[in-house]
Structures are given as C-alpha cells and as structure tokens.
Amino acid sequence: MGTYLARRAVHSFVSLAGLLILVFFLARLTGDPTNLYLPLDATLEARQEFAERHGFNDPVIVQFGRFLSGLAEFDLGTSIRKHRPAADVVLEAIPVTLGLAAVTMIVALLGAIVVGSLAAYRPGRIFDRLASVISLASASAPDFWVAITAILLFAVTLGWLPTSGTGGFAIEYWIMPIGVLLIRPFGLMVQVVRGSMLTALSSAYVKTARAKGVTERAVIFVHALRNGMLPVITVASDQAAGIANGAVIVETIFGWPGVGKLMIDSILYRDFAVIQASILITAAVIFTINIVVDIAYAVLDPRIRHH
Amino acid sequence: MGAERNTAAVPTAAPRSGARVVLGLLWSDKFAFVAALFLIFVVSCAVFGPLLLGGTATSMNLRLRNFPPFTLDHGWLFVLGADSLGRSMLARLMVASQNTIAVAAAAVAFAMTVGGVLGLMAGFLGGWFGNIVMRLADIIMSFPSLLIAVVVLYMFEPRVANLVLVLGITRMPIYMRTSRAEVLEIRERPFVAAARVMGASSFRVVFRHVAPTVLPTLTTIAALDFAFVMLAESALSFLGIGIQPPEITWGLMVAQGRNYLNVAWWLAFFPGLAIMLTTLSLNLLSSWLRIAADPTQRWRLEIPRGRDG
Amino acid sequence: MKWRMTLFGLSLPLAAGALAMMIAGGAVAQDKTVTVVLSEEPDIVDPCESSRSNIGRIVKQNITETLTEIDPKDGSITPRLATAWEQVDELTWRFTLREGVKFHDGSDFNAENAVIAINRTLNPNQDCEVRLKFFGNIKLMPAAVDTYTLEVKTETPQPILPTLMGTMTITGPKTQEAKGTQNPVGTGPYKFVSWTPGQEVVLERFDGYWGDKPEAEGARYIWRNESAVRAAMVATGEADIAPNIALQDATDPKMDFSYFNSETSRLRIDLTRAPLDDIRVRQALNYAIDREAMRGTIFSKDVVPSTNLVVPSISGHNPDLKVWPYDPAKAKELLAAAKADGVPVDNEITILGRLGIYPNATEAMEATHAMLQEAGFNVKLQMVEVNQWVDIFTRPYAEDRGPVLQQAQHDNNSGDAVFTVFFKYGCEGPQSTICDKEIDRLIAEASAATGDKRRELWQALFRRLHEDIVPDVMMFHMVGYTRINPRLDFTPSLSTNSELQISQIKFN
C-alpha cells in the first residue's frame, strides 16, 4: 500500500507539472490583458507602461521563469484584477465549491442507491421504467435553464425559497443550487447503480444468500450492494471531480463565490496568476480525491489490493 | 464503466432473418421503438432542414417578436411561436438540428476514436507509453474546458469545427481510461493469449481481437456523452464563449432564450426540449441495444411481460 | 417490505419541500438598510477607480466625495467639498475648500490632505482609472496655499478643470499609497465597514458627516450575473435596488424605471478600408437601418435615435442634426452609384459585435446584419468577447484588417464633449479611424475656449461629422432599467449609470 501510494503521488506530481506548463502557455495565447485593465481612452504610453510594469512585454519563456521562481517560494503571484495574492483569492473560493460538491455527491449517491436498487429489483416494471426515463430526462436538461426556471418558480411565484446567494450558508439557500447540481450526477448514477445491481442480483452469491433465507432487504442492501458499489464509486468520483471543476453555472447564477466562477472570470479577464493558482489548487484537490477513491477501491475489493 | 463490463459483446446471433429479429426486439420495447422513430426524425431534420428552411430560419420580422406558440394565425411555421427577432421557432429548431447533431457527433466520434485508440495502446503496451497516456488523461480531466474554449475561440473563430475540437478534447479522458481498463482485463483472457501464442502481431491482436471487445462499452459511454456534449455546448454559449450567431445550435438557442424566460418561455423551452428528447432517445436506444446484444439478458425482450426476478 | 422501501424513496423529496416551506420568507429586509444588487462583484473598492460603474456605485459620493459635482442633467458644476473656485491665470485654478469636514478616520479635510489625495490618484506608477480616463495627457501640480485654499497649476491651459475635478474623489490622507486599498476612507455620508469577497460590501452611516443626515442607516451591496435573478431579488424583497436590469425583465411599471444612462450606441465605420472609404456607401449603411423597427422591440421604446455621439445634456451636443431616415431604396441607389464609379461594394464587410456590450447586443447585431443584407450589402456577422473587441477597436490597428463595422457604445456623463471627440474622431485619437484637418482644428480651438463659444465649436464639429464625414452608423441614445423596491422613494437619473447616492434615497 505504501509503495502504491508513493507511486500515485509521483504520478500526480508529474500530471500537475504538465498541467501547469500547459495552462501557463495556453493562457498567454488568449491575448494581452492590458486592454482589459485600462480604459479605452488610455494613451498608448499608458498601455506600454502597464504592460511593462506587469511584465507582459517579456518573452513568454522569461515570464515562465519568473513564475517558477515564485513557485519555488510558494508564491503564486498577485491577481492584477483584485490586487491581492492569487493564492488567497483561490483559497477563499475553494471551500465553497467543495461544499457544494460534497453535499451534492452525498445526496446524489444516497438517492441513486435507493432508486437504482429498487429499479433493479424488478427490472422492466413500471417503477424501473419511470425511474430510468425520469432520471435520464432530467439529466439531459441544460442546467442554467433549470436554474433560472427554478428561481422564477420557487422564489418568485411560490415564494418558498430565497432567489440566490449564500445567505451565510443557511440551509434554505442550499436547496436550489444543490438541486440543480444534483440532477446530472443523480441521473447518471441511477443508471450505473441499476446496471451493477442487475448483475449483482443475478450472481451466484446472491442466490446463495437467498437460499440461506436471508431477508430481501439484506440481500439488496448488504450482499448485492456491497459488490455493486465499485463502478458506482468510479462514476461518483468522476462526477465529483466534474463538479469541483465545473460548478461554474450554478455559481454564476446563484451568486456563490466558488472556484468555478472565479476561474471563468479570471479567464475572461486574463488574470493569469489566478488562472494558474486556481487550476493548480483544484487539480491538487481532484488528484487527492482520485487517490482516496483508489484506496476505497482497495478496501472494498480485495482483488485489487495486490495489483 | 465497470458496470458495463459484463456486457462485453456477443454480437446479435441471428437464427431468423436479421432485420426482422431486430425490429421484433425493438417493437417489444415500446420506449426504444418510439426513441428510434424520434431519432430518425431528428436526423432527417438535420440532413434536410437547412436545405428546405435555411432562408426561413433567418428571415426576421420584428413585428412578430416573441409571438406565442400553438396558434396557426401566421401559418404552420409559427406553430411553435417566434423568437425575439420574430423568426419562426420551428424553422430555427429544424435548421439548428444540423449544427447541433454535427457538433455532438463529431466531438464524440473524435473523443472516442482518439481516446479509444490511445487507451487501447496504453493498456496493451503499458510501460512508459501507458504512463504518459494516463498522465495526459489526468491533465485533460483537471484542465478547465473553459480555458481551452477561450484559447481556441480567441485564436480562431467560434466556428463549428473549432467547437468540435474543444469539446472533443475535453471528452477524451473517459475513453482513454475505460479502454485501457478493459484492455488490462481482456488481454489476460484465453482467446487473446491464444492469438498471441499463435504468433499474431501485437497490432493485430489489439485491433482484431481486443478492440471489438472493448467497442460496446465505448459506444454505451458515447451515447451518454452525446448528451453531455450537447449540454456542454449550450453551457459554453451561456458563458459567452461558445458558438455565436449567425450560426445556430439548440444550445445557443437555449442560452439566448434564457433572457426571456419570464416573458417568452418558449424561446428556451423548445430547444431545451429538443436536446432532452434527443439524448433521452439515444439513451433508451442504447440501453435497449445493451440488452438485445446480451444473450443473458435478451429474454427480457422476448418474453411479452417481464417476469419477477 | 417493498412498500416501505418505496415510501422511504418518496419521503425524501417531500421532506425537503416541507422544510423549504417552513423556512421561507425569512430574508426580507424591512430595516433602514438599502440593499443594492449589482451585476458583478467589484474587483477592488479603491476610490481611484470610481469611474468604473460597479465601483462608482459603491464608492462615489457615498464613501469618498469629489471637490465639485457634475450635474448630469445639464453638465453644470455645483459645489461639494469645494465651495468656490476661480481661475487665477491661464494655468492656475484656485479652489476654496469646505470647512469643518472630517474624514471617517478622524483626520481633517484641508488643502494639505486634498493635495495628498490628488497626488495619489494621479501617481503615474499606479494605473488608477480616473487618471487614465480623464487626466491622460494632463499634469496637475496641486499645492496648499493656506488651510482651506487649494491651488492647482497645469502645464497647458485647462479651461474646464472644475469639471475634471468632478471625476476625482478625495481619499483620506492615511490611505495606502499603492492602488488597491481594502479599506477606503473618505468624507462621505457613509463609511466603509467590510467587504466579504464574493459575498457583500457593507457601508454604514457616518455620524460625523458635514451635510444633512441621510435617511438610510446603511447600505449593503451584493451581486448577481443574471438580470432575471437581479429582477427577481427586488421582486421578492431580497434587494431594494437593481440598478441595471435587461429590457425584458422590466415587466412591472410600478417597480421598473427607465432612465437615460448617458450611453450612445453606434457602429463605428472603418473609413480606411474599401468600400467603406466612399461616403455614399457610408450613407447607404445609415439609410439601410430601420431604427424605428428596433425601438420598442430589441431596444427599449424609450431610446432616442441619435445624431451625435454625446447625449443632449452634454455641452456641445448639436440638436439641429437630422436623424437618418429608413430608406432602403435610397440605400440601394447610393450603392449602385458607388459601384458604377468602381467602388468595390461587393467586398465582404464584417459586422463585429461585442457580446453583452448592452442588453440584447447580439440580437441588435443580428437584426442589423439582416437589414444590411436586405439592402444589398455583402456582410457577415461576428460576435467576439471584450479582449478581442478592444484589440480591434483601439490603435495600433492591424495592417491586414478588412472593412469592419464595429458595434460600440460611448458613455459621456462628464458634462463636456471634450471627453468624446478627440478620442473618437481626432487624427491621433486612440479609437479614431478618421483624420480630417477641419475636425482637428475644431478640437484644438474648442478645447481652449469656454462658455458659448466652446459649445458652438463643438456643435460645428458634430455637424461636420454627421453631414460631411459620416464616420458612424448612428443608433440610439440608450436607456437603462432600474428596478426599485416600492418601499423606497428614489428615481434613477442620468448619473445612475456611474454612481448611486445612498443619501438621496428616502423611504416610503
């Protein structure tokens, strides 16, 4: 296990390095930020001075060298948009997104296990068909459309929920953002749980358990589920990573100051230091999730442990 | 991914005439049957829509701005209402289907081919090559597709081909990983070992014996991905970095229509519905295909009413 | 058995719904704090950036005040922190400062501290927008004559210096020298309390304020990107003012007010590229646009077709110019005539739009595209994001560019046409594509003149542009929509685009 973890850590480090190099150079292909930070009427000299002061006139490779030497001292640079250290800006946003991702995944996972298992229990029956169609259909709706419609319905027309915002992270403010984030992973995971439960329920050990007189509930939720969990975990981790990276729409519409919103703004405003910092930190989080998932795998499935 | 592992395909054996059996199996799953009909309709829209209605879809009439749906006062073209420039929603939906389907299909095909081949080779060759491919998958997965989109769209124009590139690249990792994982398992199986013993080249083993076994899993993922790509395309339009007018896609129509959700719901609703029905149909059809192609499951379609399990 | 499990599955969403109903309606603000929902989070809250609208709406005249205040209705100047001013000689202005004014941190407002504040904003090592936008080529040398007399010398004559000073807010003397302060201090009726990044900015009433005590006890600023969400927040009482919502969200005449926002929209014509170098082609472009059809549909019914790039309240606006009528036949005729003279009218012209430059910007360009096509132009539409747009809009221009019509919008709420003409139409203007000796002469003369003479020179300039040069496809003097909670007594005005004085808000 120890060597395995060490190997994974090395792999993650290599990936992170590759990612950073790619991001650094690709970001600089999106144009000089000077235009975005100075008013239209700024003089040419003012523009040149600005570019000079922020080092945009240097060759990209020199800028990269400067970035690396900063990195060596754990300095991710300063946001030219916010005039604050980029790392601070990102670290403020990370917990918001992680919170959204964690709650969403827990709710989606629990819901998908219940619905998926029930669907698999009597395949082809009405509950199964309805669960499949509804979960697939809701997962295929554009999320910003769902979000705005939900606000108009639940907040404006019905007045049940606040429109948006974090409201000091009170529970009523979570319901709509989570609800919108939820639908896609939920729909997907219902399918996966159903598929993997179908396989598990027709396997030999479930038949044995049944023959031994184990209750149906135990058959589903203990024997079958435990063995059907592996693919579910894979998909769940994939989706969690997706949310950590892509809650941008929910964050934008509901005004949650997460890292997705930060990233799109930084990209549109060419705030390179923040782009780099947010990608670096998010990627580190995703790699950590992946390693944790691998460990969970090994715990759940003894066959993999020696792989 | 792993969920599909048991479905590793045994192609539909055909004791009776092939097409009749397939149709019969399709008929016995009414959802899948309707889905197939709908997809045929969408594809014919995509092929013929722009030819027939290209002009109508762009002809503007500001007096019909946000004209409501479900009346025939202005002819059948306006039965689904008009958009914010008074253009026929029906015509636009049909014309937009071409770009939408083309973008999604091309992006998924690109991701599946490139990702699948890379994954196959990574799994079969292993070693440093396998490592590089897996690291690449890691990098792409944690790389924000938004940045790729902005890079591509800043350097080139927001045209369909560029969008395909952006979406295709971002969807590659899942195929890389899945096909590698499948290969790792399959290459230990007897028939592959036998082929090797009999002196088949690695290349031949991979593409003659392993690839066909991996393909069904990849196609299942592709069906799901098709939906994802259409939605991702829409999300890019929402953020202002996707495809732009005068091109149209369903995704762009939803993104533009969302500004009018509280005065003219149909602008965003119909294209959204089109996306939803298309992806739903694809998924229903692919889950039918999975069952129909699996001898241990096919009885579910052959027996008129599902027996309790 | 099966039943129970199904019930469990069903009860989850039900429970969530019930929970939602129980806790609903807790967030309605009924106190005397005004909640403003902006379209974007301010990047910083530094008063030296107060010319940017989302920063200005928080900072300007709320936290930090200006020496003079520009009345956007007619461009006149009224006293704020300065009570009087006079021109001593061509290069010197003298301001008499208000006595008994304190900064929020307790420092006194006096000539010495005003000098510190002016020098901070104009520090050439900082990129303060106020400097770059209004003082680009102007060097100020402020000095304290005595405690309440400030003298400002300039290198070149500045006849409208008091107007210029209306754009610069005065920060406290202890403010950090570098741009990007997290704690703005000024003399205004509200003092800065906190900024929780991503969440809110909070101000509270300053008890030591020199002027009348305002009604609102404080202000809270939040931000949402989507116009529909901002409108919804005021409708549900979660916010009091949404200064900027889209036309289609302004559905309730009791809450939604339109106001001229001092912006003027146009398509800039690149006169240097064929066929746009031919005046008949440019006239044809203007004849081909059906402005009336766009008014009340894509644009608000309250917009006004424009002839000048400055709004009527700006000194120098020429009211006698005629709006281009919609005359597609005339457009075709002019094109044919140009073609007969060998002008390559079939060259493809690009309409370059900018996403979100104003509400419904994309639709406006799609409509323009369709209208020009109708009139026989060979046009293509391209929508780009800001950075790319600015690249093409400002000098240096790319050598290999083709003929472009660029969607643009200009905001001048500073009272005088000088803030417009040089930049947009001067030979050396950073966004100008024309070079006309007569225009440059008028700019030079008017800049040095004052009063009626100045206004007449500007008017002559706008006439020459409109009738002899035709450098734009003129669109509209624009309006913005503000949604206001009925509990407030407040009417948006021309200045709402750049500032939002909380002290002017009363409660019903």
Side-chain angles (χ1 to χ4, degrees), chain B residues 9-16 18 21-22 24-26 28-29 287-304 306:
Chain B
V10 179
T12 321
R16 282 170 287 162
V21 173
V22 171
L25 287 176
L26 191 57
S28 64
D29 183 343
S287 79
W288 166 81
L289 193 66
R290 230 178 322 162
I291 295 175
D294 185 347
T296 64
Q297 300 271 332
R298 199 185 310 155
W299 60 269
R300 292 184 199 283
L301 296 171
E302 284 164 344
I303 295 169

Short mmCIF file of all heavy atoms in Angstrom, two decimals, chain B residues 9-16 18 21-22 24-26 28-29 287-304 306:
data_model
loop_
_atom_site.label_atom_id
_atom_site.label_comp_id
_atom_site.label_asym_id
_atom_site.label_seq_id
_atom_site.Cartn_x
_atom_site.Cartn_y
_atom_site.Cartn_z
N ALA B 9 -19.47 -7.67 -25.73
CA ALA B 9 -20.48 -8.09 -26.68
C ALA B 9 -20.29 -9.46 -27.28
O ALA B 9 -19.22 -9.84 -27.71
CB ALA B 9 -20.49 -7.11 -27.83
N VAL B 10 -21.38 -10.14 -27.30
CA VAL B 10 -21.51 -11.25 -28.22
C VAL B 10 -22.50 -10.68 -29.24
O VAL B 10 -23.59 -10.30 -28.88
CB VAL B 10 -22.13 -12.46 -27.53
CG1 VAL B 10 -22.28 -13.60 -28.53
CG2 VAL B 10 -21.28 -12.85 -26.36
N PRO B 11 -22.08 -10.53 -30.49
CA PRO B 11 -22.97 -9.89 -31.43
C PRO B 11 -24.29 -10.65 -31.56
O PRO B 11 -24.36 -11.85 -31.33
CB PRO B 11 -22.19 -9.90 -32.75
CG PRO B 11 -21.00 -10.77 -32.53
CD PRO B 11 -20.83 -10.98 -31.06
N THR B 12 -25.34 -9.89 -31.93
CA THR B 12 -26.66 -10.48 -32.01
C THR B 12 -26.65 -11.70 -32.93
O THR B 12 -26.48 -11.56 -34.13
CB THR B 12 -27.66 -9.45 -32.57
OG1 THR B 12 -27.34 -8.19 -32.03
CG2 THR B 12 -29.07 -9.85 -32.27
N ALA B 13 -26.80 -12.85 -32.35
CA ALA B 13 -26.87 -14.05 -33.17
C ALA B 13 -28.19 -14.04 -33.90
O ALA B 13 -29.20 -13.59 -33.37
CB ALA B 13 -26.76 -15.29 -32.31
N ALA B 14 -28.20 -14.48 -35.13
CA ALA B 14 -29.43 -14.35 -35.91
C ALA B 14 -29.87 -15.67 -36.50
O ALA B 14 -29.50 -16.01 -37.61
CB ALA B 14 -29.22 -13.33 -37.02
N PRO B 15 -30.69 -16.39 -35.76
CA PRO B 15 -31.19 -17.63 -36.31
C PRO B 15 -32.22 -17.36 -37.40
O PRO B 15 -32.25 -18.03 -38.42
CB PRO B 15 -31.85 -18.33 -35.12
CG PRO B 15 -32.04 -17.29 -34.07
CD PRO B 15 -31.20 -16.12 -34.41
N ARG B 16 -33.08 -16.31 -37.16
CA ARG B 16 -34.04 -15.96 -38.19
C ARG B 16 -33.49 -14.79 -39.01
O ARG B 16 -32.40 -14.30 -38.74
CB ARG B 16 -35.37 -15.58 -37.54
CG ARG B 16 -36.17 -16.80 -37.09
CD ARG B 16 -37.36 -16.36 -36.25
NE ARG B 16 -36.95 -15.91 -34.93
CZ ARG B 16 -37.71 -15.17 -34.14
NH1 ARG B 16 -38.89 -14.78 -34.54
NH2 ARG B 16 -37.30 -14.82 -32.95
N GLY B 18 -32.20 -11.41 -40.01
CA GLY B 18 -31.64 -10.42 -39.09
C GLY B 18 -32.52 -9.22 -38.84
O GLY B 18 -32.89 -8.92 -37.71
N VAL B 21 -35.71 -9.81 -36.87
CA VAL B 21 -35.48 -10.04 -35.44
C VAL B 21 -35.22 -8.74 -34.72
O VAL B 21 -35.80 -8.45 -33.67
CB VAL B 21 -34.29 -11.01 -35.26
CG1 VAL B 21 -33.95 -11.12 -33.78
CG2 VAL B 21 -34.63 -12.36 -35.84
N VAL B 22 -34.38 -7.93 -35.34
CA VAL B 22 -34.05 -6.65 -34.71
C VAL B 22 -35.33 -5.82 -34.54
O VAL B 22 -35.60 -5.29 -33.46
CB VAL B 22 -33.01 -5.88 -35.54
CG1 VAL B 22 -32.86 -4.46 -35.02
CG2 VAL B 22 -31.69 -6.61 -35.51
N GLY B 24 -38.34 -6.86 -34.40
CA GLY B 24 -39.18 -7.52 -33.41
C GLY B 24 -38.73 -7.18 -32.00
O GLY B 24 -39.54 -6.83 -31.14
N LEU B 25 -37.43 -7.26 -31.79
CA LEU B 25 -36.90 -6.93 -30.46
C LEU B 25 -37.18 -5.47 -30.12
O LEU B 25 -37.46 -5.13 -28.98
CB LEU B 25 -35.39 -7.20 -30.42
CG LEU B 25 -34.98 -8.66 -30.40
CD1 LEU B 25 -33.46 -8.78 -30.46
CD2 LEU B 25 -35.49 -9.35 -29.13
N LEU B 26 -37.08 -4.61 -31.15
CA LEU B 26 -37.30 -3.19 -30.93
C LEU B 26 -38.78 -2.94 -30.59
O LEU B 26 -39.10 -2.19 -29.67
CB LEU B 26 -36.92 -2.42 -32.20
CG LEU B 26 -36.84 -0.90 -32.10
CD1 LEU B 26 -35.87 -0.50 -31.02
CD2 LEU B 26 -36.40 -0.31 -33.43
N SER B 28 -40.78 -4.87 -29.20
CA SER B 28 -41.16 -5.36 -27.87
C SER B 28 -40.76 -4.39 -26.77
O SER B 28 -41.19 -4.52 -25.64
CB SER B 28 -40.55 -6.73 -27.62
OG SER B 28 -39.15 -6.61 -27.58
N ASP B 29 -39.90 -3.43 -27.08
CA ASP B 29 -39.60 -2.37 -26.11
C ASP B 29 -40.17 -1.07 -26.69
O ASP B 29 -39.55 -0.43 -27.54
CB ASP B 29 -38.09 -2.26 -25.90
CG ASP B 29 -37.74 -1.22 -24.85
OD1 ASP B 29 -38.61 -0.37 -24.53
OD2 ASP B 29 -36.61 -1.26 -24.34
N SER B 287 -29.71 1.56 -24.18
CA SER B 287 -29.93 0.55 -23.14
C SER B 287 -30.69 -0.64 -23.73
O SER B 287 -30.48 -1.79 -23.33
CB SER B 287 -30.64 1.14 -21.92
OG SER B 287 -32.00 1.26 -22.16
N TRP B 288 -31.52 -0.38 -24.73
CA TRP B 288 -32.17 -1.48 -25.45
C TRP B 288 -31.12 -2.33 -26.15
O TRP B 288 -31.12 -3.56 -26.08
CB TRP B 288 -33.16 -0.92 -26.47
CG TRP B 288 -33.63 -1.94 -27.46
CD1 TRP B 288 -34.61 -2.86 -27.27
CD2 TRP B 288 -33.11 -2.16 -28.76
NE1 TRP B 288 -34.74 -3.65 -28.38
CE2 TRP B 288 -33.83 -3.24 -29.32
CE3 TRP B 288 -32.10 -1.56 -29.52
CZ2 TRP B 288 -33.58 -3.72 -30.61
CZ3 TRP B 288 -31.86 -2.03 -30.79
CH2 TRP B 288 -32.59 -3.10 -31.33
N LEU B 289 -30.17 -1.61 -26.81
CA LEU B 289 -29.13 -2.30 -27.56
C LEU B 289 -28.31 -3.19 -26.64
O LEU B 289 -27.94 -4.32 -26.98
CB LEU B 289 -28.22 -1.26 -28.22
CG LEU B 289 -27.27 -1.79 -29.29
CD1 LEU B 289 -28.06 -2.29 -30.48
CD2 LEU B 289 -26.30 -0.70 -29.72
N ARG B 290 -28.04 -2.67 -25.45
CA ARG B 290 -27.24 -3.43 -24.49
C ARG B 290 -27.94 -4.74 -24.13
O ARG B 290 -27.32 -5.80 -24.06
CB ARG B 290 -27.01 -2.61 -23.23
CG ARG B 290 -25.58 -2.55 -22.81
CD ARG B 290 -25.43 -1.69 -21.58
NE ARG B 290 -26.33 -0.53 -21.65
CZ ARG B 290 -26.66 0.19 -20.57
NH1 ARG B 290 -26.21 -0.15 -19.39
NH2 ARG B 290 -27.46 1.22 -20.68
N ILE B 291 -29.24 -4.63 -23.91
CA ILE B 291 -29.98 -5.83 -23.54
C ILE B 291 -30.10 -6.77 -24.73
O ILE B 291 -29.85 -7.97 -24.64
CB ILE B 291 -31.39 -5.45 -23.02
CG1 ILE B 291 -31.25 -4.65 -21.74
CG2 ILE B 291 -32.23 -6.70 -22.79
CD1 ILE B 291 -32.56 -4.13 -21.20
N ALA B 292 -30.41 -6.18 -25.90
CA ALA B 292 -30.61 -7.01 -27.08
C ALA B 292 -29.34 -7.72 -27.48
O ALA B 292 -29.36 -8.81 -28.04
CB ALA B 292 -31.12 -6.14 -28.23
N ALA B 293 -28.20 -7.09 -27.19
CA ALA B 293 -26.93 -7.68 -27.63
C ALA B 293 -26.39 -8.67 -26.60
O ALA B 293 -25.39 -9.33 -26.85
CB ALA B 293 -25.92 -6.57 -27.88
N ASP B 294 -27.03 -8.77 -25.47
CA ASP B 294 -26.51 -9.62 -24.40
C ASP B 294 -27.38 -10.88 -24.28
O ASP B 294 -28.55 -10.79 -23.89
CB ASP B 294 -26.54 -8.82 -23.09
CG ASP B 294 -25.90 -9.61 -21.96
OD1 ASP B 294 -25.69 -10.83 -22.14
OD2 ASP B 294 -25.63 -9.00 -20.92
N PRO B 295 -26.82 -12.04 -24.62
CA PRO B 295 -27.63 -13.26 -24.61
C PRO B 295 -28.23 -13.57 -23.24
O PRO B 295 -29.31 -14.15 -23.15
CB PRO B 295 -26.63 -14.35 -25.01
CG PRO B 295 -25.40 -13.65 -25.44
CD PRO B 295 -25.43 -12.27 -24.96
N THR B 296 -27.55 -13.15 -22.16
CA THR B 296 -28.09 -13.49 -20.85
C THR B 296 -29.24 -12.57 -20.46
O THR B 296 -29.94 -12.80 -19.48
CB THR B 296 -27.01 -13.38 -19.75
OG1 THR B 296 -26.60 -12.01 -19.68
CG2 THR B 296 -25.81 -14.26 -20.08
N GLN B 297 -29.42 -11.48 -21.19
CA GLN B 297 -30.47 -10.53 -20.84
C GLN B 297 -31.60 -10.51 -21.86
O GLN B 297 -32.68 -9.98 -21.59
CB GLN B 297 -29.88 -9.09 -20.77
CG GLN B 297 -28.78 -8.92 -19.76
CD GLN B 297 -29.33 -8.55 -18.39
OE1 GLN B 297 -30.39 -7.95 -18.29
NE2 GLN B 297 -28.64 -8.94 -17.34
N ARG B 298 -31.34 -11.08 -23.05
CA ARG B 298 -32.25 -10.82 -24.15
C ARG B 298 -33.66 -11.35 -23.88
O ARG B 298 -34.64 -10.85 -24.42
CB ARG B 298 -31.71 -11.40 -25.46
CG ARG B 298 -32.41 -10.76 -26.65
CD ARG B 298 -32.00 -11.38 -27.95
NE ARG B 298 -30.57 -11.47 -28.06
CZ ARG B 298 -29.97 -12.37 -28.82
NH1 ARG B 298 -30.69 -13.23 -29.50
NH2 ARG B 298 -28.66 -12.42 -28.90
N TRP B 299 -33.75 -12.39 -23.05
CA TRP B 299 -35.08 -12.95 -22.76
C TRP B 299 -36.06 -11.91 -22.28
O TRP B 299 -37.24 -12.00 -22.50
CB TRP B 299 -34.95 -14.09 -21.75
CG TRP B 299 -34.34 -13.64 -20.44
CD1 TRP B 299 -33.02 -13.65 -20.11
CD2 TRP B 299 -35.02 -13.10 -19.31
NE1 TRP B 299 -32.81 -13.17 -18.86
CE2 TRP B 299 -34.03 -12.83 -18.34
CE3 TRP B 299 -36.37 -12.84 -19.02
CZ2 TRP B 299 -34.33 -12.29 -17.09
CZ3 TRP B 299 -36.67 -12.30 -17.76
CH2 TRP B 299 -35.66 -12.04 -16.83
N ARG B 300 -35.53 -10.84 -21.66
CA ARG B 300 -36.42 -9.81 -21.15
C ARG B 300 -37.24 -9.20 -22.29
O ARG B 300 -38.34 -8.72 -22.09
CB ARG B 300 -35.63 -8.69 -20.49
CG ARG B 300 -34.95 -9.11 -19.23
CD ARG B 300 -34.26 -7.93 -18.56
NE ARG B 300 -33.27 -8.39 -17.62
CZ ARG B 300 -33.56 -8.88 -16.41
NH1 ARG B 300 -34.81 -8.96 -16.03
NH2 ARG B 300 -32.61 -9.29 -15.62
N LEU B 301 -36.64 -9.14 -23.49
CA LEU B 301 -37.35 -8.55 -24.62
C LEU B 301 -38.21 -9.59 -25.34
O LEU B 301 -39.16 -9.27 -26.01
CB LEU B 301 -36.36 -7.96 -25.62
CG LEU B 301 -35.54 -6.78 -25.10
CD1 LEU B 301 -34.46 -6.43 -26.10
CD2 LEU B 301 -36.43 -5.58 -24.86
N GLU B 302 -37.80 -10.86 -25.20
CA GLU B 302 -38.51 -11.88 -25.96
C GLU B 302 -39.78 -12.34 -25.28
O GLU B 302 -40.72 -12.78 -25.91
CB GLU B 302 -37.57 -13.07 -26.24
CG GLU B 302 -36.58 -12.70 -27.34
CD GLU B 302 -35.41 -13.63 -27.41
OE1 GLU B 302 -35.19 -14.38 -26.43
OE2 GLU B 302 -34.72 -13.62 -28.43
N ILE B 303 -39.78 -12.26 -23.93
CA ILE B 303 -40.99 -12.64 -23.20
C ILE B 303 -41.89 -11.42 -23.11
O ILE B 303 -41.44 -10.34 -22.74
CB ILE B 303 -40.63 -13.16 -21.79
CG1 ILE B 303 -39.85 -14.45 -21.95
CG2 ILE B 303 -41.87 -13.37 -20.96
CD1 ILE B 303 -39.22 -14.92 -20.68
N PRO B 304 -43.14 -11.55 -23.49
CA PRO B 304 -44.04 -10.40 -23.57
C PRO B 304 -44.06 -9.56 -22.30
O PRO B 304 -43.95 -8.35 -22.37
CB PRO B 304 -45.41 -11.04 -23.82
CG PRO B 304 -45.12 -12.39 -24.36
CD PRO B 304 -43.80 -12.81 -23.85
N GLY B 306 -42.35 -8.88 -18.47
CA GLY B 306 -41.21 -9.22 -17.60
C GLY B 306 -41.67 -10.03 -16.40
O GLY B 306 -42.66 -9.69 -15.74
#
